[in-house]
Amino acid sequence: MPADLAVIGLGHLGLPLAQAAVARGIATIGYDPVRATDLAGGRLPCDGAEGILTAADVRRMLSGGFRPTTDPADLGRVRTAVICAPTPPAADRSLDLSQVAEAASALAARLRPHTTVILESPAYPGSTEEFVRPILEAGSGLRAGRDFHLAYSPGRLDPGNRSHGYAGTPKVIGGLTPACTESAAAFYGRLTDKVVRARGPREAETVHLLETNYRHVNMALVNEMAVLCHDLGIDLWDVIRCAETKPFGFQAFRPGPGVGGHGVPLDIPN
């Protein structure tokens, strides 16, 4: 049965996207050779990656029409395909894009003209154009920007945050061409309250890099402040409480175990 959307990769990025789409009445399939069977049975895979959803959430998605699949042939019957494959660190600490390559190859063999393809996986600037585009074009015989739309949109979810859900978090879009951007924006406009258009895929990819590095730098800073304040006998929590009353130029971070979670420059295995 045809679907409006295929989410390729049902981990920490793909499942929330599928959940948001199903909630908006979008016919959605989820392609994942590893996780789809468990999800089709209303179970979460036992890999610890889907902590932001529960089995009850999955069952509600299934009752809403969500269809997990392990059959790549299903990818040839959708209007929009979003690649959400994980990019764990390689041995040299670079991003391992092998699962993105597998996802793009599976899609390329079934890609139809006028499909909108969006990469959401954490990726280095240039990945959409230099890595994903050649795979899609070689496998399909189609040309990105002419025969199908291609764009990048960084994942921005904050797991467990009840104040900023999917609809309330602006989506950044960067397309290969202006038409690619508008096609991707039209899709995300069905899911979110605000869509922000970047100049292109590289700018959108670098948004993810900047946002994640901002978080890394400030976590490191506040943890160093914790050490300093401990040595000086200063109550850091009181310092932060007072500092965050400044209405500009400061955002409060609090000490903790350090950087974790998914994203560039670090994406934990999924």
Side-chain angles (χ1 to χ4, degrees):
M1 180 170 58
D4 286 344
L5 170 66
V7 178
I8 307 176
L10 298 174
H12 70 283
L13 288 176
L15 270 181
L17 170 59
Q19 182 186 38
V22 171
R24 293 298 179 99
I26 298 173
T28 303
I29 65 170
Y31 173 72
D32 192 314
V34 175
R35 299 179 178 86
T37 300
D38 281 338
L39 292 167
R43 303 179 301 274
L44 287 173
C46 299
D47 57 13
E50 285 72 48
I52 54 178
L53 268 71
T54 67
D57 292 326
V58 174
R59 289 192 292 270
R60 281 191 288 270
M61 291 168 63
L62 294 171
S63 66
F66 176 55
R67 185 163 60 89
T69 180
T70 59
D71 186 357
D74 290 329
L75 298 176
R77 309 180 71 186
V78 300
R79 298 174 182 174
T80 303
V82 184
I83 298 175
C84 298
T87 54
D92 63 358
R93 306 305 294 171
S94 64
L95 290 179
D96 179 357
L97 299 183
S98 60
Q99 293 183 67
V100 171
E102 292 172 4
S105 296
L107 175 61
R110 289 107 188 148
L111 188 62
R112 300 187 304 172
H114 311 301
T115 302
T116 299
V117 181
I118 305 166
L119 177 63
E120 272 205 21
S121 300
Y124 59 82
S127 297
T128 304
E129 296 174 84
E130 300 167 2
F131 186 81
V132 173
R133 178 183 182 178
I135 295 173
L136 294 174
E137 292 184 337
S140 67
L142 303 176
R143 182 176 174 182
R146 184 189 69 186
D147 303 316
F148 67 93
H149 299 299
L150 180 62
Y152 183 84
S153 180
R156 280 181 145 185
L157 289 183
D158 185 10
N161 189 326
R162 297 183 180 181
S163 300
H164 301 285
Y166 206 103
T169 303
K171 257 307 202 176
V172 173
I173 310 295
L176 188 65
T177 67
C180 292
T181 297
E182 292 309 312
S183 182
F187 164 68
Y188 283 115
R190 302 168 69 184
L191 305 181
T192 63
D193 298 333
K194 183 177 182 180
V195 173
V196 180
R197 292 161 175 80
R199 291 187 63 181
R202 291 172 182 266
E203 285 77 14
E205 291 158 345
T206 308
V207 166
H208 197 183
L209 183 65
L210 175 61
E211 291 176 348
T212 305
N213 282 343
Y214 176 87
R215 175 171 164 263
H216 281 215
V217 168
N218 282 283
M219 284 183 172
L221 171 63
V222 77
N223 280 344
E224 288 298 316
M225 288 295 296
V227 173
L228 174 66
C229 288
H230 178 270
D231 291 344
L232 297 177
I234 295 171
D235 184 346
L236 175 63
W237 298 98
D238 190 56
V239 172
I240 296 172
R241 179 185 65 83
C242 295
E244 67 182 342
T245 62
K246 185 179 181 182
F248 57 90
F250 180 83
Q251 180 180 359
F253 282 75
R254 288 168 173 79
V259 173
H262 303 269
V264 178
L266 175 65
D267 185 21
I268 64 173
N270 191 355

